[in-house]
Amino acid sequence: MSKRNNLYCLIIISSLLFACGQGNRERSKIPPTPFQTESIQNTASLEALTDAIRSNPSVAENYYKRASVLHKMADLQKALEDINRADRLKQNTGKYLFVKALILRDLKKYSEAFASAQSAEILNIDTPELYTLLGDLSQQRNDLKIAEQYLAKSLQIAPFDGETYFYQGTLAARKGDTTTAILKMNKAIDMKPSFKEGYIKLTEILKNRKLYDSALAVNKSAIQQFPKNAEFFIDRGSVFAKFGRLDSALFYYDIASALDSRRTDALLYSATVYFRWKNYTKALEYYEKVLDINSEIPKINYFIGLTLEQLGQTTKAEEFLKEAVEKDGTDDQAVIALNRVTGQINAALGVYTPPVPVPIRKNIPVAKPVLEEPKKLLDTSRVRVNVIVPKKRVNIRTDTSKRLKL
């Protein structure tokens, strides 16, 4: 009897072990929790910190943490408010002053940012990030020697920090050393592929050097890294515009507008392409979109007035040109265009009105609707630069957006 009981017990135990094994295998098939994107993490952190601040508004650390999250989310004004609260609650705290300097730098308040960063340094914040920030801010103050020293100090602590190489690149660019600038920025991207500014500046330098193949190669890497970032599609369009591939440029400007409908620069570039093609109806459509988004865009009323004039709508053109002159009485282009359109209207009516006096401005270049206004970072005529990424030559003969591939 005991043997039979032992057999039953063995069968029961085996069945239980098998069931447990099955359960473990089933549980192992449950998919893991999806990885949360940075934006979701930031939103969750922001909500938690806001709740903590409501519960106890006198804890400086919570304001500091929320300021850091808001800075990542590019909500700079709110971030500055929070870090100022943290600083008031707990003064002379180095990490607070460092974050404050970062925020002020991004707000382009360079003098205040430099003062905060120096205070953080005095309070013994000995990090490569602080020295890199001080190097960048020293450049903004045109103190290039001090900038070089700070950046070198940063690399002594963290020799593989991509951002530091980027700022060394901008420093070389300011000195007119294009070759070093390209090498440093290329190294920055290699070390930190997620550094957006590196792609933008490197593409700009290569484009200004007319190294279009290399510029397109760098830009392609940027788009692969950030496929939803409108900035890189605008950059790609501007490279094509540089060597006359306007339909290709338009293709990428339109992608940028689709990704971010409020990018007025992409809309303006598209409008200018159509203006150059003498498709004034389409140009007007894009200019009006810009006006709807931001009526304070410089010269937008002038551009609309100019386009309406080309369409023969002189009365409406006169209205927009009058508004352009009212906004900026020194805009000689708008005044000349207004007098021209008013003269056409007066000639048709058989009347005469005195023209608006044209303001006299010396050494001011004539402004026209342009595809781009590239910033001049450096004197690129001084150094011969080799193409950094060998690519096949740009096929200028084929000009159709339908066959374009990124």
Side-chain angles (χ1 to χ4, degrees):
M1 191 73 179
S2 61
K3 286 182 180 179
R4 185 177 292 179
N5 288 338
N6 288 339
L7 181 61
Y8 286 148
C9 287
L10 184 61
I11 292 170
I12 291 167
I13 291 169
S14 299
S15 301
L16 288 171
L17 289 171
F18 178 78
C20 290
Q22 282 290 97
N24 286 335
R25 280 192 292 275
E26 291 300 320
R27 281 192 294 274
S28 70
K29 293 177 183 177
I30 298 172
T33 304
F35 175 75
Q36 291 183 324
T37 63
E38 186 180 3
S39 62
I40 294 173
Q41 290 176 347
N42 287 339
T43 302
S45 299
L46 192 62
E47 290 175 359
L49 288 165
T50 300
D51 289 341
I53 288 168
R54 285 197 193 105
S55 301
N56 190 348
S58 60
V59 179
E61 191 73 6
N62 288 335
Y63 288 107
Y64 156 71
K65 290 177 180 176
R66 191 168 74 172
S68 299
V69 173
L70 288 166
H71 178 240
K72 287 180 185 176
M73 298 173 74
D75 195 342
L76 300 179
Q77 284 301 142
K78 288 183 180 178
L80 184 60
E81 290 171 13
D82 271 1
I83 202 64
N84 282 336
R85 287 193 192 103
D87 190 35
R88 285 195 296 270
L89 287 167
K90 193 175 179 182
Q91 295 182 352
N92 298 323
T93 305
K95 64 181 182 180
Y96 296 178
L97 291 166
F98 169 62
V99 170
K100 185 175 181 178
L102 286 173
I103 295 166
L104 288 166
R105 189 264 305 271
D106 289 351
L107 285 168
K108 302 190 187 308
K109 298 181 178 180
Y110 298 121
S111 296
E112 294 175 51
F114 187 73
S116 292
Q118 276 195 319
S119 297
E121 184 184 21
I122 290 167
L123 292 167
N124 296 319
I125 299 297
D126 188 26
T127 64
E129 292 83 7
L130 175 62
Y131 295 128
T132 298
L133 175 63
L134 281 163
D136 178 33
L137 292 170
S138 296
Q139 285 191 63
Q140 303 296 340
R141 293 161 56 86
N142 291 318
D143 199 340
L144 304 188
K145 272 194 175 180
I146 296 296
E148 196 170 352
Q149 291 170 13
Y150 275 126
L151 294 172
K153 192 171 184 179
S154 176
L155 286 176
Q156 284 177 353
I157 302 171
F160 302 107
D161 183 49
E163 288 192 34
T164 309
Y165 284 104
F166 168 77
Y167 290 116
Q168 282 190 327
T170 61
L171 184 60
R174 293 190 66 161
K175 292 179 177 180
D177 187 352
T178 314
T179 304
T180 301
I182 291 173
L183 291 172
K184 292 287 186 181
M185 289 186 184
N186 203 42
K187 194 169 186 178
I189 291 171
D190 286 342
M191 289 185 171
K192 190 176 179 181
S194 61
F195 188 42
K196 295 179 183 178
E197 194 67 21
Y199 294 103
I200 294 169
K201 290 294 184 185
L202 182 53
T203 302
E204 184 180 338
I205 289 177
L206 291 167
K207 180 180 67 177
N208 290 342
R209 282 291 300 158
K210 298 183 179 180
L211 299 173
Y212 299 128
D213 284 335
S214 293
L216 289 171
V218 171
N219 175 262
K220 183 177 180 179
S221 298
I223 289 173
Q224 289 171 343
Q225 192 76 26
F226 305 99
K228 300 295 183 183
N229 191 303
E231 185 79 29
F232 296 118
F233 288 95
I234 293 172
D235 283 349
R236 194 166 187 81
S238 71
V239 175
F240 280 110
K242 273 286 189 177
F243 56 87
R245 291 273 298 274
L246 296 187
D247 67 336
S248 301
L250 182 62
F251 177 79
Y252 289 108
Y253 294 149
D254 283 345
I255 291 177
S257 297
L259 289 170
D260 186 350
S261 60
R262 299 191 68 80
R263 285 298 299 248
T264 53
D265 49 354
L267 293 169
L268 280 169
Y269 295 155
S270 296
T272 306
V273 171
Y274 284 115
F275 193 94
R276 287 191 178 183
W277 285 344
K278 299 185 179 181
N279 187 342
Y280 301 117
T281 302
K282 201 69 178 174
L284 182 62
E285 179 187 323
Y286 278 85
Y287 282 134
E288 286 177 338
K289 285 180 184 177
V290 174
L291 187 67
D292 289 340
I293 294 168
N294 185 358
S295 61
E296 298 304 314
I297 294 288
K299 297 185 77 68
I300 184 60
N301 289 288
Y302 165 71
F303 293 145
I304 291 176
L306 210 62
T307 309
L308 287 166
E309 182 190 5
Q310 296 298 325
L311 288 167
Q313 301 180 35
T314 51
T315 304
K316 283 186 71 176
E318 186 182 40
E319 291 173 12
F320 279 97
L321 292 169
K322 280 180 178 178
E323 193 166 346
V325 172
E326 285 172 10
K327 283 186 175 181
D328 183 4
T330 65
D331 188 346
D332 53 349
Q333 278 190 298
V335 172
I336 292 168
L338 175 60
N339 287 336
R340 183 176 61 246
V341 170
T342 302
Q344 293 171 19
I345 294 171
N346 288 345
L349 296 174
V351 297
Y352 172 79
T353 55
V356 179
V358 178
I360 299 172
R361 294 190 295 165
K362 295 181 180 179
N363 301 323
I364 302 295
V366 174
K368 297 178 181 177
V370 291
L371 283 173
E372 60 181 348
E373 295 176 8
K375 300 171 188 173
K376 187 168 183 180
L377 286 180
L378 45 94
D379 180 7
T380 56
S381 63
R382 295 169 52 187
V383 185
R384 182 172 176 268
V385 183
N386 294 322
V387 177
I388 60 167
V389 182
K391 294 283 180 182
K392 60 184 180 181
R393 298 181 66 83
V394 176
N395 183 1
I396 300 179
R397 293 173 297 175
T398 302
D399 188 14
T400 171
S401 61
K402 292 182 179 177
R403 295 186 231 163
L404 270 173
K405 293 182 180 178
L406 295 182

